[in-house]
Amino acid sequence: MALFAVLIYASDSAHEPGESAETSEDIATCDAHAEEMSSSAAMTAAWAFTPRSMARSVRESGVTEGPFIDGADVVAGVYLLEAPDLESAIASAASNPVVHQGGGVEIRPVHSGGLVASDQG
């Protein structure tokens, strides 16, 4: 199986610190989708980002508030998806609720990498 990164684009993230599925319909919808994807063993990891107001960008000129590229949509989260090929990954990623809420997803094959544990001891 190949590994694909799915970047979730939306006008902003619904994952405000302290917000939970019990208080946000958008989060509940996303959580239900994540549960469905992970129970099928297709989604191997996922991260929801906080709203764009919490982002900081670092450039040679210094640190600024906000996302690196401040457009109409920002990356609201990312997950890793195992699929046999790009077409299958696209079909799976197209079921993301954000696609029907005015946002979209970007699917990119993962070339290399993974978690690297640092020796703290």
Side-chain angles (χ1 to χ4, degrees):
M1 289 279 218
L3 190 61
F4 298 88
V6 179
L7 289 82
I8 303 166
Y9 287 87
S11 61
D12 209 348
S13 174
H15 290 81
E16 188 76 39
E19 195 78 15
S20 68
E22 292 79 39
T23 58
S24 169
E25 186 176 325
D26 287 340
I27 292 175
T29 301
C30 292
D31 286 352
H33 177 259
E35 179 64 32
E36 179 182 322
M37 294 293 288
S38 63
S39 68
S40 71
M43 186 172 65
T44 62
W47 297 269
F49 299 153
T50 55
R52 69 171 69 214
S53 63
M54 299 184 78
R56 299 298 178 267
S57 299
V58 179
R59 294 180 171 79
E60 186 176 356
S61 60
V63 178
T64 58
E65 293 184 7
F68 191 81
I69 297 175
D70 194 15
D73 291 333
V74 294
V75 179
V78 62
Y79 60 95
L80 298 176
L81 182 66
E82 286 188 337
D85 53 42
L86 180 58
E87 291 74 26
S88 297
I90 292 169
S92 292
S95 68
N96 191 294
V98 76
V99 172
H100 306 289
Q101 297 169 348
V105 296
E106 176 181 335
I107 301 93
R108 305 220 3 222
V110 174
H111 177 271
S112 57
L115 295 177
V116 178
S118 62
D119 186 2
Q120 300 291 324

